[in-house]
Structures are given as C-alpha cells and as structure tokens.
Amino acid sequence: MGDKNTLLAVLQYLEKHNLKGTSDLLRKEANLGEETSSLQCPQSDSDVSSMLAAYKSEGDPEKYEEAYADLKRFVEGALDIYKYELGMILYPVLVHMYLELLFNDHEDQAKRLMEKFGPDQEEYFQEDLKKLSHVCKKDHLKGNELTDTFKSNEFIIRMSRDTLSILKRHLSEKKHSVVQNIIQEHLYLDMYEGVARNKQQIDATSGAMIGEASRADNKARVYYGLLKEPDVSNAAIEEEEDDEEGGDKPKKKKSKKDHLYPKKSKSDPNAPPVDRMPLPELKEAELREKAKALRDGSKRVNLGPDTLPSICCYTLLNANHSVTCAEISEDSSLLAVGFNDSFIKVWSLVPQKLRSMKSADQLQDIDREADDVLARMMDDRSSEACRTLLGHSGPVYRVAFSPDRQLLLSCSEDSSIRLWSLLTWSCVVCYKGHTYPVWDVRFAQHGYYFATGGHDKTARLWATDQHQPLRIFAGHYSDVDCVQFHPNSNYLASGSSDRTVRLWDCVTGCQVRLMTGHKGHVLCLCFSVEGRFLASAGADSRILLWDLAHGHLLAELCSHTASILSLAFSREGSILVSGSTDCTVKVWDFTKLAETMALEDVNISHNPDIKKDSDTFLLRSYATKNSPILNLHFTRRNLLLAVGLFDSQS
Amino acid sequence: MSESDMYGTTLSQESIKVIAETIGVPNLPDEAAKELAEDVSYRLKIIIQDAAKFMFHAKRQKLSTTDIDAALKAKGVEPLYGFHTADHIPFRFASGGGRELHFIEEKELDLNELINGQLPKLPLDVTTRAHWLAIEGIQPTIPENPPPVSKDVQKLESVDPASKLAANAKDPSKSAAAKVQKPRNVETVHIKQLATHELSVEQQLYYKEITEACVGSDEARRTEALQSLAVDPGLHEMLPRMCTFIAEGVKVNVVQNNLAFLIYLMRMVKALLDNSTLFLEKYLHELLPSVVTCIVSKQLCQRPDSDNHWALRDFASRLLAQICRNFNTSTNNIQTRVTRMFSTALQDEKAPLSSLYGAIEGLSEIGAEVVKVFVIPRIKHLGERIEPALDSPTFSSVDRIAAGHIKHLLLKILPPIIKSMRSVPDIMEEYKAEYGYMGIPLHSAVLKVRATPQSPATGSGSSSTNSTNIAAAVPSGVITAAARPVGQLTGVTPTGVNRSIVVAGTSPSGAARQIVTTPTNSQQKYVIVTSRSNPVTPNQSPVVKLGSNQIVMVAGGNATASQSTAMGVKSVFVQQSQPTTIKIESSPSIKVEAPVSPSQNVSSPGALPQAFTDDDVLPLG
C-alpha cells in the first residue's frame, strides 16, 4: 500500500509539472490504470492542507493575543530563578501563534500580534521575526523555507525539572487551549536534572533557528584524538644525511632528534582506530614532504603572549567586489583566489614559478628510472608567476588545495565542484551532485576525501575518484555555509545559516554533535591542533569555542565589529587568530584560554561556565587599511600570512 | 527595531496600476491591485533575502544585480538579462497631470560615437602586494597600514587632552601588558604613548632627512620629501617639531628676505595640510602666523622689484583659505579672525603696498562675500593709494610694480562681484564717483564680464570660479562648498602649472607675472621673475606673528642678520617646545611693536615665541 501511495505521489508530481510522457510510462510500468488520474485533482489540493494541517485550529482569533499576553505575564511574574528559562518559550509560542493565525486566514490578527510582541523578543531572533513578518498571507506559507522549518520541526528548549513542572502547572490551571496546543505540538521540552539556568547561560546557547541542542544530540562518543603520525623518520634521516654532507655539526642535529620526532608509541586514548576510516596510503613523495614539513617545523617560533607572530599581508589590489575567496596552500607556496567572474587565479608566493607538465610526446622521452623524474616532467619554459583557471560558469565561492599541492578544488554558484590539476593546469573532474550553489569545499588533511556544503542545506562527503558523493549529511535547516574536516579526517564539522554548528561522523554518516549559540550565519570553522576544540565564527562577529568531547560551549570571544571570515590556529596551537570584514586581524591567547577552562568536571548534563571576558584573551588587534581579511594561514614556521582585499571605494 | 518597521513597506496600489497600464491592462480594479501589491512585495522581499546570501558569500557589503540574478536562478526563475551596472542608478522624479512618477533615466547613446570613439581604458589587473602587517607583534607605520592614531583620535586628544589619560588609567593592565610584550625594542617608542616626547632614533633621522631635503637645494629630493609629508601615515608624533621648524624658519627667513626658503616652507605647510592622516588643529597657532607672514609681510625677497614674491603671497593665501575651510569652527573662529586681521591691514593708512596686496589677495581667497564686505568699500581709498604710485614718477619702481599688481588683482576679483551687486545700466559716472581712480577700468571690466556669459571652463582664472563657488556662502559661516584644490607652486601636479600659466595669460597688461622654469634645475622648480628691474630699497622687515592667535606686528630692523640661514635652520632643530593646549584669545588685535633684531630671534631657540607668554591667553578645553 505504501508503495502504491509513493507511486501515486510521484505521478501527481509529474502531472502537476506537465511531464505527460514520463507519467504515462510510469503508469504503464506500474500497471496503474487511468482510474488513478481522477483522484489527482482533489488530492493535490489536500496535499498542501494536509501538510499544514498541524496549524488547523478552530480557536477564536481574538483569543491569541490575550493568551500570549497572559503567558507573558506569567513568565514575568515567575520567580527569578525560573523566569529566564520560562522566557525561552515566548519566542516559539509567538512564532507558532502567528503561523496558526495566518493559516486560518486571520491576517489582521496575526499582524497585530507580531507588531505588538515581535519587538520584545531577543535581539538575535529579530532577523527571523522580520523574515516571518514578510509572510503575511496563507498563500505565502507554501514553500517558505523558514515557515516550513518551523512547521515540520519541534523547537527544542532545555528546561530543568522544576521549571518544567511550574510551566505544566500554569498551563493546566489556565486552560488556554491555544498555548497548550502549541506547546504540545511544536515545542520539545528537554528536561534535565539540576538548577535552572540564569540569563547569561541561556543567552550563550540560544539563538539557533530551531532552538537548542537536546541532550540526546550530543550523547554519541566522538574520537577527537589525532591519528598516529606516519613514521617519517626514515625519510627524514635520508634527507638529513643529504644535508649533513655540507653541514659541519652533525652531532648536534642527532641530539635534537628526540625532540624533533617525538615518540608516539603510546597512542591517544581518544583517537579513532586507525582503520576506522580508510585513508589513502602515503606516497613516497608525500612522505618526503612530511619530513620536510617536520624539519621546517623545528625552526618554528613558538608563539605566545611574549612572542607575537609576524604578519605578512598579501593585499589584493584593483579587485573591488570581484574577489570572492582566497586560499593559501599548506606549505605556503601558492595562493589561489576565486573571482566573481567565475575564474580562479593561482599565484606563486615563492621565487619558484608555476610550471606545467610537458606534453605527452615529450614525456615519453623521459627516463622513468631517473631520480629526478618529477623535476624532469616539468616544462621550465612554461613557468609563469600567475596562472588562470577557467571552467566555472558562476562566481567561485571557495577554493581548496590538496595536501600534496598537486590538486585544487573549487566550488561555484553553478552548483558544480571542479578538481584542477596543478601540474597540467587544467580541470580534471567536474563533480555534480549539489542542486544549488555550493558555498564551501574543503580537503581532508589526509587528502583523497573532500567535503562540500551548499544552498541545498546539505553537506556532502566526496572522494576525488568518485563522481558521486559518498555521504550526504542532511539536517541543517538552512544553507550550509562552511565545512571543515577534523584533523583525523573521521569527522566533518559544518556551519550553517540556521545558526548551528554540527559535527558529522564520516564513517556512519550520523550527526554526532549539535552546537547552538551563534546568533548569525556561521562562516568559518577551525579545529584546534590537538583535535579537541572547535572554533567557529560568523556573521554575529563572535568567535565561539566548543569542546568536542561533550559539545559544550566553552568560550565566547567578542571584539570584532563585523562578520568574521577566517580563523586559524598557530602550528603549535598556542594562538588563535581571526580575520574579519571590519578590516582587523585579532590575535587571541589560546593557551591561556585552554588553561582556564575547567575540562575535568564536565559531563554531559552539566554545562561549564562560559568564558566571556574577551579582553583578557585578546593579545593584539591589527588594523588593515580598508582591507577585509579573506584568509589567514600560519606557515610551518609560524609566520602568519593574511590575504586582504583592498576596497578603494570606501 | 521599532514597531513600525517590523512589517516594512509594500508596493502601493498606484504603482501596480501604473505597471498594469504599461503592459496594457487599463483599468485594474482596486481589489486586484491590492492583492497583487501584497503578493509582489512578498516575492520581492524573499528574492532580496536570498540575494543577500549571495552577497555574503561574495564577501561584499553591497547588494548587486548579479546577486539578484543568482537568487532568481536558484528559485528557478529566469534571471533578468541586460541589467548590469557597476554604479548606483538613481531614481528620477517627475510630476505632471496630477501624477507623480519615479523612473530611471536612460540616456540615448549614439552608436556611431560608441563605435568610433576611443576604447575605454582597460581596468587594471588584480595584483597582490605583500607587506608587513606586523613584525614580531609590532605594526610598522608604512603607507600600506592605517595610521597608528586615527585622525578622529588625534582630534579628540587635541580637544580633550584628558581623554587619553582617562583611557590609560582605565586599562592599566593593557598598557602594562603592552610594555611587557616588547622588551627588546627599547628605542621604538610605543605609538600610543603620546605623553612621551622623545622621538625614536628612526624618527629623528627621518625628521632630519625630511627637513634638510625640504629646504635643501636638490629639487628631486625635495619633491620626495614633500610627497612623504603629504602621504605618509604616522607622522603625528613629529608634527609639533615640523610645525616649530616651519614657524621658526619663516621667522628667520622673512627677516633675511629669503624668498626661496619661504616658498619651500610654505610647500611644507601645504604637504602637511594634504596629509589626510594628520590633524593639524593643535598646531595652527604656529602655522597660521607663518602663513599670514608670507601673505602680508612688507618684504619677502631681496629684490622686490624683480623677484616674484607675488606668487608666494598668492600661494600662501590659498593655503590660508584651505586652513580656514578645514579647521574653522565656532569655537576658534579662525576665519573671522583672519578676515578681521586682513581688513585691519586694509584700513591701515600707512601699510605698504605689498602688504595691501597680500591683504586683498587673502580676503579674495576666503570668498566673495568677504570681498563684498571688506574690499569693495575700500576701493576708492585703494585707488587713492595706488594712483600716485602708478602715475607720478617720484615713486620708486617697487611701489609702481606693487601698485600695478594691486590694480590687476582688483580688476581680477572685483568685476564678477560688482556685476552681481549692481543693476544693469553701468554708468561710468557712478563708477567714478563710487570707486574713484579704479572706476574707469572697473567699469570696462564689468561691462566685459557682463558681455561674456559665465563660462568658468575658459581661463578666467581662479577668482571667477572661486566667486561662483562660494557666492552662496554666508560671510561669517564656514565655507565648505569650495572643493577647488589649492594650486601648488610646484610643478608636481599639472593643476599647479596650469593655474600659474592661466594667470599670466589672462593678464596681458604691463605688470604681468612671468613664470620661467629654469633649465638648470629639474622641471619642478620655478624661478619667478618680473620683466622690469628696479633698485633695491630694503629698510624694514615687518614680521607678522600670530602666536597663539594673537597678532603682533613686528617692524623688524635692517635685514642684515649675521647668522646664515643654515644656522637659523639648524637652531630650529634643537627647539623642543611642546604645545599641549590650544591657546585662544577672544579678540585678535594688531600691535606694532619695537623692532626686534633677527639675531635675537634666532639666538634664543629655547625660548617660547613672545606671543606665547602674553598674559591674555585663555587655555581651551
């Protein structure tokens, strides 16, 4: 029966869109007679109404206002300890009352209700209220993203046992069927044992489109530890011996080695099993690169409050409103910039120019056994300082370098993702799967996998050799604006316009963390070096710091005055930097922050205090000249590279 | 958010009806129009909402047509083709026949012109520029970085010096932390600590280099130095020194009649004025007297007959006008006071002709209204002063040249104003009766102006454009309208050259200024000569000081200073006077003092300027 219903629904859809041929074919194949077509008309009408039936109500439209005012009075009159927690129900009740009134064609009452009580709501809900207020007719309810979200999901509110019982008592006393119904139907009250929260605690985690995270959301275990680093000491020693031929202090280097390659024999208890997520084998060249990175890292300056980083700023000139994104490769040798005009430019940041591979004919002549075969493959005559990649047909919203620096990914408004080879400087693959513009693309730290997020509210996991996504992470209520891989490649974090940050398990495809607290779009994410913490920031110009172990909000850093576009941890993890459209780079003391966080007494139900004294953690703020910071990147030696976009018009 | 804008606006029914008419639906019922208006408004809002997402992701703050297109595309609607513009298109408004219309103006384009015309210049390619935003935590002051102390902060500090102390006291932990942060760079003075008056070694070197280059003989270096003064951020720490340098330099060189140095110093003033990162108000009490000296001083050069000190006077007048425009406020009343000072000089029966010229020029640069009030009533009197100098052979040629210049200047600035003041029949006798000696030439000039309709584009010089620009301004009010850049004495920007040449070209009369570029130096240097030569008659060097806004006229002694100018300049280096408050006096006055020997001025470098120590100065703020 269920199958038949599905088929009928598909048929209906086809009929509705006038796809006669397909519907006839389907009908024939499914052996459905013509008789079904007669059913269609009435059914398609009831289609909408059944979807919205949740709002069907015979209540007197005039009662709503009174009922809401009464609820508000009750909240305001409650004891101080319960007051704020009770206050959380005001917003969802208002929203659903409004939608209910609209659905029952009481437009004037709905409008009056919204005008009277809308402005009283919290600042961070005003944007959504404004969007709701645009909806002022029953017809508009159809296909509106926001009302659909409210209609089909329960608004989650966490409440202590005492608060909940007070609320229940009030509801049963007053017998406001309207409010009671709404709370029954559209609110999910997640009860917890303990003391009711105060205003600050509530404000810290509220703000998401559809309420807070329930306890169940963050129960799953997250293996936030790092994978064991591949043993590069062999490759490194080889390299080092090469170096030492010229060097005159070989002994000293040997003695340093323990420090250089810390023995990771004891694996991290929080690390996922190595075979949990199949990862690509490291190639020889990559091993060598890793060794080089390690050696480079040994010359690194350890940053702290006393040794602040040097910042080299690459300012893009003559690019008013045409640049959309910028990215620097892991080894800081390449800069890729995506443009509004759908092309990508790659600059070399080192004296070495960008060369392309020789043609197939020439490649045949090369001695494949030679040691320097890789170098020989490249055509020296083709070297250029800047190269352009053409292929997209819409603005390029993000580019990402592969860890081995040979591939580049880009995503665009044309809803495709393209993989470019930086050896031949041409497009290798075009991944199609997203149905709407793709906002973000990121490579996994181990390569091979990459993730995207887009306007279609999904984040997707891909592998470079598959043309279809491996996983589709659906759950966000609005655009997925940014994605970021966990350093162990087992998890993917995504930030969205629904003002939540979610963590997905790449292996199972499940959502393992839901973190609420942002008051605006989440635009950038960054995992801490040791993998335990996640920093997120966005349009609300605040940086939030999360503990992945339990999904708690740990700290809130606010000093920026405009959207934050970029976050980066220094290579040893002691400094967090943020770049923003307010044309500043701010440097935060992450060591101090991590020290003051009480991580030990944290468990699932107990929310730790949230650090809010941003001034004590802010080390410095550097202003640029009218240049919003698009990207921040620490080199292996901890020099901070910033990419700014000079705006000559303001 | 207030209650009223919760629901925002919707399209009006009238608009819908007008739109319906344009697509051939003549009588749309009200009900339908209302329904449509509501629905269309909703759809528009949704599309704009979505378009904002695209704007966000393109890292822009401004919604563009491409965003709307992208939003339409995402909704499955065909985007609007052909509506691309980089600029904002304003709505125009028209009314008539009882209807009001807003519309977008579309100009007709001639295709032939487009095809045959020059191709537009290619936009510059996107490039990257690498620079240090911070070096080990310290932000270097380079042009790529914003100035360390913004103009607003400088302004705040100049108005309210206590604010800085309060800010420091409020956040002791931060300033302490700042000190800890950089124990190594001891000589780099923390940029925010304005209270420390030591310049770092680098700054001292910079100061030395700049000042030497500005008054040195190498024109290329001077151009560079002036350029640096005009654009470099982070100069505000050195600003007090620079201003003292200029003030002292003017004092010394006016006494020694060293025209070239005065020009160099005025160019420094100009560069400082042009630097958008500096807030000069604190130092005006040093700059203003210097500039005014260069306008009204009796003698500015060794040979008043042949050297073109008139150009310096013009240039300084324009600087002064610029200062008035930029810094005049209701509390300091700079413009009123400057105007009053010039008019007093104009009233002075015994003022030398060159000073008169300066006063007239200064007034004319301030604006037409000022000229109307202060110069025009004096025309007759001025005529009486210049008539004998021009006509009788007993006067020296210096006076004759000066009188010629005054006459020429008057003929340049007055006709447009007189034209607007007087009604049409221009009767020669009335002019004669009212303006005396100047009556006849003014009459013909006014007739000429009336004959040629206003065409500011042709070379009528600065004064006519000036008067058209400023004519609307109230005499005492701040003149903000004039966007005309102050012409430069250098040839660095072409406008400066044009202006000078235009003046020479439009005044073909005898006392025309000739501006010759010397072939020996670089092309940026001017040597200014007049066509006649006369014996030198230096006797007095009046110095006008406006120390702390008090005007003191000093009739200097003989210009036989024993010190070389170089010495004078050097002595300025040592001077460390630090003005911390603005001293202001309610009514500026002009006093004539006993002659002060120049050596006295120079040999006491540590002393405060005399006017500084006067009793009737009131600290402000």
Side-chain angles (χ1 to χ4, degrees):
Chain A
M1 190 61 202
D3 263 6
K4 198 174 178 192
N5 272 344
T6 321
L7 267 179
L8 282 178
V10 174
L11 275 173
Q12 256 174 41
Y13 180 83
L14 293 173
E15 292 278 324
K16 200 169 133 199
H17 291 267
N18 244 351
L19 301 165
K20 198 85 184 153
T22 320
S23 71
D24 284 349
L25 218 64
L26 183 65
R27 192 162 289 150
K28 215 181 279 169
E29 278 186 20
N31 290 326
L32 288 171
E34 279 297 312
E35 79 276 8
T36 48
S37 63
S38 57
L39 281 169
Q40 283 159 17
C41 276
Q43 205 170 332
S44 70
D45 258 2
S46 65
D47 197 21
V48 178
S49 50
S50 72
M51 268 166 64
L52 294 171
Y55 284 121
K56 197 117 185 97
S57 143
E58 281 83 46
D60 180 3
E62 304 298 335
K63 283 237 177 85
Y64 282 77
E65 206 175 305
E66 193 192 317
Y68 187 83
D70 198 53
L71 185 69
K72 205 175 157 198
R73 260 200 307 280
F74 157 67
V75 168
E76 277 161 5
L79 281 175
D80 268 2
I81 40 165
Y82 306 123
K83 192 169 166 179
Y84 301 109
E85 233 172 37
L86 284 173
M88 286 195 292
I89 65 166
L90 287 176
Y91 170 70
V93 166
L94 176 70
V95 169
H96 287 287
M97 275 188 168
Y98 180 76
L99 295 179
E100 219 169 279
L101 281 171
L102 275 190
F103 182 76
N104 294 307
D105 282 324
H106 306 303
E107 288 154 26
D108 294 338
Q109 284 90 345
K111 206 166 165 176
R112 212 164 51 227
L113 184 79
M114 185 62 101
E115 273 180 348
K116 190 161 174 194
F117 298 110
D120 299 343
Q121 304 300 323
E122 298 286 353
E123 191 60 42
Y124 40 83
F125 287 129
Q126 291 298 339
E127 200 188 318
D128 273 358
L129 282 174
K130 182 94 189 162
K131 281 184 190 169
L132 274 180
S133 71
H134 294 160
V135 181
C136 49
K137 277 196 177 325
K138 189 178 172 181
D139 296 347
H140 298 166
L141 289 175
K142 269 185 278 179
N144 186 295
E145 180 193 307
L146 191 62
T147 58
D148 281 355
T149 306
F150 275 117
K151 177 193 69 207
S152 48
N153 296 286
E154 287 177 324
F155 195 96
I156 299 163
I157 291 171
R158 302 196 65 192
M159 251 184 206
S160 69
R161 179 186 286 276
D162 297 347
T163 321
L164 190 62
S165 63
I166 289 174
L167 179 65
K168 276 187 176 155
R169 203 178 323 137
H170 169 78
L171 290 176
S172 58
E173 271 171 20
K174 283 286 176 176
K175 298 227 169 19
H176 272 308
S177 63
V178 182
V179 176
Q180 224 161 4
N181 272 350
I182 285 176
I183 291 178
Q184 203 90 51
E185 297 272 330
H186 302 293
L187 262 62
Y188 176 75
L189 301 172
D190 189 41
M191 199 229 350
Y192 66 91
E193 303 286 344
V195 198
R197 291 174 293 168
N198 60 22
K199 175 120 178 74
Q200 263 185 326
Q201 283 170 317
I202 289 168
D203 275 350
T205 53
S206 56
M209 190 186 267
I210 204 76
E212 297 173 272
S214 71
R215 200 149 43 119
D217 281 327
N218 291 332
K219 255 187 173 153
R221 173 159 190 214
V222 171
Y223 300 100
Y224 54 78
L226 299 187
L227 290 172
K228 214 174 139 191
E229 278 291 310
D231 188 21
V232 292
S233 47
N234 286 337
I237 288 168
E238 262 171 48
E239 292 272 318
E240 218 160 283
E241 273 164 4
D242 291 350
D243 287 354
E244 278 166 23
E245 281 167 27
D248 50 351
K249 285 182 235 163
K251 289 231 164 109
K252 205 170 178 188
K253 275 199 176 169
K254 282 258 159 44
S255 61
K256 259 190 183 171
K257 198 172 274 172
D258 282 339
H259 163 73
L260 248 178
Y261 313 110
K263 297 252 184 328
K264 283 213 173 166
S265 52
K266 205 169 65 181
S267 67
D268 193 337
N270 291 311
V274 184
D275 53 354
R276 188 165 183 270
M277 177 107 175
L279 292 171
E281 281 282 312
L282 275 181
K283 279 177 264 169
E284 203 184 314
E286 284 171 294
L287 267 175
R288 220 175 296 151
E289 184 68 31
K290 279 237 187 256
K292 201 175 150 215
L294 259 181
R295 258 180 300 125
D296 241 358
S298 69
K299 294 174 191 155
R300 164 175 85 197
V301 188
N302 282 330
L303 300 176
D306 298 331
T307 43
L308 288 169
S310 295
I311 310 173
C312 179
C313 187
Y314 291 94
T315 304
L316 296 164
L317 302 172
N318 314 320
N320 271 336
H321 301 161
S322 70
V323 168
T324 46
C325 61
E327 197 68 35
I328 295 174
S329 67
E330 197 272 335
D331 67 344
S332 320
S333 66
L334 298 171
L335 166 70
V337 174
F339 286 82
N340 226 347
D341 317 338
S342 61
F343 60 92
I344 302 158
K345 273 192 170 183
V346 182
W347 276 276
S348 170
L349 298 182
V350 289
Q352 199 179 14
K353 297 258 175 79
L354 305 174
R355 295 172 303 173
S356 77
M357 212 188 254
K358 287 177 180 164
S359 69
D361 298 345
Q362 286 170 308
L363 283 176
Q364 274 191 333
D365 302 337
I366 292 176
D367 173 15
R368 257 165 270 179
E369 301 303 312
D371 284 342
D372 57 344
V373 64
L374 284 175
R376 286 194 195 192
M377 275 160 57
M378 307 310 289
D379 189 354
D380 279 329
R381 280 168 301 172
S382 64
S383 64
E384 282 172 51
C386 170
R387 281 179 177 272
T388 310
L389 301 170
L390 293 164
H392 280 294
S393 58
V396 179
Y397 287 123
R398 193 64 79 107
V399 287
F401 284 101
S402 71
D404 62 1
R405 211 172 1 118
Q406 298 195 342
L407 298 168
L408 178 78
L409 274 169
S410 63
C411 64
S412 158
E413 189 263 340
D414 64 10
S415 57
S416 70
I417 302 124
R418 277 172 191 271
L419 183 73
W420 309 84
S421 162
L422 300 186
L423 295 174
T424 60
W425 301 98
S426 58
C427 183
V428 193
V429 192
C430 176
Y431 303 95
K432 291 183 176 166
H434 278 285
T435 42
Y436 286 110
V438 189
W439 297 133
D440 197 7
V441 63
R442 297 280 88 184
F443 249 114
Q445 270 76 349
H446 295 87
Y448 184 60
Y449 296 108
F450 67 92
T452 57
H455 184 55
D456 58 6
K457 305 180 194 175
T458 62
R460 294 170 193 229
L461 177 75
W462 310 70
T464 46
D465 58 358
Q466 311 268 314
H467 70 279
Q468 280 179 323
L470 304 175
R471 300 275 183 276
I472 297 181
F473 304 113
H476 278 294
Y477 296 115
S478 189
D479 303 34
V480 178
D481 293 310
C482 55
V483 290
Q484 183 73 51
F485 272 99
H486 190 274
N488 66 21
S489 293
N490 278 249
Y491 296 94
L492 178 75
S494 62
S496 160
S497 294
D498 66 8
R499 306 189 287 275
T500 61
V501 177
R502 287 164 204 252
L503 189 73
W504 310 86
D505 188 337
C506 295
V507 179
T508 62
C510 294
Q511 173 190 311
V512 287
R513 290 286 177 269
L514 168 59
M515 294 166 276
T516 61
H518 271 291
K519 321 284 189 245
H521 308 177
V522 185
L523 295 173
C524 52
L525 298 163
C526 190
F527 283 93
S528 70
V529 176
E530 77 282 14
R532 169 138 195 197
F533 305 108
L534 172 67
S536 65
D540 55 359
S541 54
R542 301 167 332 137
I543 304 164
L544 300 188
L545 213 66
W546 312 91
D547 179 9
L548 293 180
H550 303 289
H552 287 316
L553 177 63
L554 292 176
E556 180 186 319
L557 306 171
C558 28
S559 172
H560 281 290
T561 53
S563 299
I564 298 167
L565 298 180
S566 184
L567 287 171
F569 280 99
S570 67
R571 290 283 172 140
E572 85 284 20
S574 60
I575 295 267
L576 172 67
V577 291
S578 56
S580 156
T581 37
D582 65 7
C583 305
T584 56
V585 176
K586 289 190 193 276
V587 182
W588 307 87
D589 190 347
F590 187 70
T591 317
K592 194 171 170 188
L593 197 56
E595 276 167 7
T596 49
M597 283 183 300
L599 295 174
E600 300 315 316
D601 59 338
V602 167
N603 53 51
I604 289 180
S605 55
H606 177 251
N607 222 357
D609 285 340
I610 294 136
K611 304 274 170 230
K612 283 191 157 180
D613 35 356
S614 310
D615 281 350
T616 56
F617 302 113
L618 178 65
L619 289 177
R620 270 306 174 86
S621 174
Y622 302 100
T624 64
K625 207 170 183 178
N626 264 344
S627 315
I629 298 297
L630 293 182
N631 196 275
L632 290 166
H633 171 87
F634 274 101
T635 67
R636 288 168 181 167
R637 299 188 187 182
N638 264 343
L639 171 72
L640 179 59
L641 304 181
V643 185
L645 177 59
F646 181 64
D647 186 357
S648 58
Q649 282 171 359
S650 59
Chain B
M1 191 188 297
S2 73
E3 286 179 36
S4 56
D5 67 350
M6 189 87 214
Y7 270 85
T9 49
T10 50
L11 288 173
S12 70
Q13 291 179 33
E14 287 74 34
S15 305
I16 295 292
K17 282 184 187 166
V18 170
I19 294 165
E21 261 176 54
T22 60
I23 56 163
V25 182
N27 288 317
L28 199 69
D30 279 357
E31 275 298 294
K34 184 168 172 283
E35 281 290 310
L36 270 175
E38 279 176 9
D39 200 59
V40 169
S41 304
Y42 167 71
R43 305 283 161 208
L44 278 178
K45 281 174 188 172
I46 294 292
I47 287 167
I48 292 167
Q49 225 172 62
D50 272 16
K53 272 183 192 168
F54 287 88
M55 176 188 77
F56 259 121
H57 283 282
K59 317 284 191 297
R60 271 183 276 116
Q61 317 268 7
K62 204 163 120 188
L63 199 72
S64 81
T65 48
T66 53
D67 297 328
I68 303 276
D69 284 353
L72 285 171
K73 217 168 118 190
K75 288 227 167 298
V77 183
E78 184 100 340
L80 299 163
Y81 295 110
F83 288 88
H84 291 282
T85 170
D87 305 318
H88 164 73
I89 309 175
F91 268 115
R92 304 240 173 253
F93 174 75
S95 62
R99 297 185 88 166
E100 293 174 339
L101 255 184
H102 289 272
F103 63 99
I104 295 167
E105 198 172 31
E106 282 184 278
K107 287 197 186 104
E108 273 182 31
L109 290 174
D110 187 359
L111 277 183
N112 278 330
E113 231 168 76
L114 270 184
I115 294 162
N116 298 328
Q118 278 226 316
L119 286 174
K121 239 168 81 179
L122 273 178
L124 293 166
D125 197 15
V126 176
T127 51
T128 59
R129 184 189 178 92
H131 60 91
W132 290 108
L133 189 64
I135 300 169
E136 297 188 345
I138 298 159
Q139 187 162 31
T141 47
I142 47 173
E144 285 88 348
N145 290 333
V149 178
S150 76
K151 219 170 166 180
D152 295 337
V153 177
Q154 286 182 47
K155 187 172 179 177
L156 181 72
E157 280 169 3
S158 75
V159 178
D160 179 15
S163 67
K164 184 168 49 110
L165 296 172
N168 277 348
K170 206 171 69 182
D171 204 358
S173 61
K174 213 167 198 176
S175 57
K179 264 179 201 144
V180 175
Q181 271 160 26
K182 41 180 192 54
R184 270 172 291 167
N185 293 35
V186 183
E187 71 272 44
T188 322
V189 175
H190 191 284
I191 290 152
K192 285 213 167 148
Q193 297 170 329
L194 272 184
T196 55
H197 292 310
E198 303 134 33
L199 295 182
S200 67
V201 174
E202 293 87 350
Q203 283 173 323
Q204 287 175 25
L205 274 175
Y206 176 84
Y207 172 81
K208 190 162 169 279
E209 282 289 313
I210 289 287
T211 47
E212 279 177 8
C214 279
V215 296
S217 57
D218 185 349
E219 180 60 31
R221 269 190 76 201
R222 177 169 19 260
T223 317
E224 266 175 44
L226 290 173
Q227 179 72 9
S228 166
L229 281 181
V231 297
D232 277 354
L235 292 183
H236 80 276
E237 280 220 306
M238 279 171 274
L239 198 54
R241 270 94 173 164
M242 292 288 178
C243 293
T244 316
F245 175 80
I246 292 167
E248 292 295 315
V250 168
K251 257 186 229 163
V252 172
N253 288 303
V254 136
V255 173
Q256 301 190 348
N257 292 328
N258 197 331
L259 180 63
F261 274 64
L262 289 174
I263 291 177
Y264 300 152
L265 291 167
M266 285 303 108
R267 282 168 65 182
M268 279 181 80
V269 176
K270 164 100 180 106
L272 289 177
L273 271 177
D274 287 347
N275 193 325
S276 55
T277 65
L278 294 178
F279 185 71
L280 282 179
E281 197 179 43
K282 262 201 263 190
Y283 311 106
L284 286 181
H285 67 277
E286 290 201 287
L287 292 180
L288 270 181
S290 311
V291 175
V292 173
T293 303
C294 289
I295 299 172
V296 297
S297 178
K298 178 174 192 292
Q299 194 178 352
L300 290 166
C301 50
Q302 297 285 357
R303 286 157 297 156
D305 51 334
S306 57
D307 290 346
N308 192 345
H309 56 98
W310 312 108
L312 174 61
R313 290 177 201 274
D314 292 354
F315 182 68
S317 304
R318 264 172 270 130
L319 279 182
L320 191 66
Q322 193 186 0
I323 292 174
C324 288
R325 272 200 302 279
N326 289 354
F327 299 104
N328 190 28
T329 63
S330 52
T331 34
N332 63 17
N333 282 327
I334 290 177
Q335 187 175 324
T336 322
R337 282 152 55 174
V338 165
T339 311
R340 195 178 305 154
M341 184 194 67
F342 281 140
S343 66
T344 324
L346 213 56
Q347 312 278 344
D348 188 357
E349 296 291 334
K350 294 193 192 78
L353 287 176
S354 48
S355 301
L356 277 184
Y357 175 87
I360 298 167
E361 174 71 24
L363 286 172
S364 77
E365 289 291 343
I366 291 173
E369 284 296 327
V370 175
V371 175
K372 206 186 267 182
V373 176
F374 293 104
V375 182
I376 289 188
R378 300 283 301 167
I379 294 177
K380 193 169 181 181
H381 183 78
L382 287 170
E384 283 163 17
R385 286 288 309 270
I386 59 173
E387 188 180 6
L390 278 175
D391 297 341
S392 98
T394 54
F395 276 76
S396 69
S397 68
V398 177
D399 281 343
R400 191 155 60 241
I401 296 168
H405 272 287
I406 292 176
K407 186 178 174 187
H408 172 68
L409 178 67
L410 286 175
L411 285 181
K412 196 176 73 182
I413 60 169
L414 290 178
I417 299 164
I418 293 176
K419 184 195 128 197
S420 61
M421 282 170 69
R422 302 184 73 96
S423 49
V424 171
D426 292 309
I427 302 155
M428 176 83 82
E429 278 64 36
E430 280 180 20
Y431 272 79
K432 250 186 184 164
E434 197 159 335
Y435 305 131
Y437 173 73
M438 290 298 293
I440 301 165
L442 273 176
H443 178 250
S444 58
V446 169
L447 281 183
K448 210 164 128 194
V449 174
R450 282 204 206 279
T452 53
Q454 276 288 339
S455 55
T458 57
S460 55
S462 65
S463 64
S464 75
T465 47
N466 187 13
S467 58
T468 49
N469 275 344
I470 308 174
V474 197
S476 61
V478 192
I479 295 170
T480 51
R484 180 176 56 92
V486 172
Q488 290 182 324
L489 273 180
T490 72
V492 180
T493 57
T495 50
V497 185
N498 282 346
R499 208 264 171 186
S500 312
I501 289 168
V502 162
V503 172
T506 49
S507 52
S509 58
R513 271 167 261 166
Q514 251 182 308
I515 293 159
V516 181
T517 51
T518 46
T520 51
N521 269 320
S522 77
Q523 73 272 29
Q524 280 147 349
K525 180 163 182 183
Y526 282 89
V527 169
I528 301 161
V529 290
T530 50
S531 41
R532 292 178 218 167
S533 62
N534 271 303
V536 191
T537 54
N539 47 4
Q540 282 182 321
S541 308
V543 180
V544 177
K545 292 201 287 183
L546 196 78
S548 67
N549 299 315
Q550 178 164 23
I551 304 154
V552 183
M553 183 96 78
V554 183
N558 269 342
T560 51
S562 54
Q563 263 123 329
S564 71
T565 42
M567 279 295 289
V569 171
K570 279 274 153 51
S571 68
V572 178
F573 276 81
V574 207
Q575 186 142 7
Q576 299 274 325
S577 79
Q578 265 298 328
T580 47
T581 54
I582 315 168
K583 307 234 165 115
I584 218 158
E585 196 220 11
S586 47
S587 63
S589 59
I590 294 187
K591 285 187 208 161
V592 178
E593 278 191 1
V596 178
S597 80
S599 56
Q600 203 178 336
N601 248 343
V602 179
S603 59
S604 57
L608 287 170
Q610 188 154 13
F612 232 110
T613 53
D614 269 347
D615 43 4
D616 52 353
V617 286
L618 308 168
L620 173 82

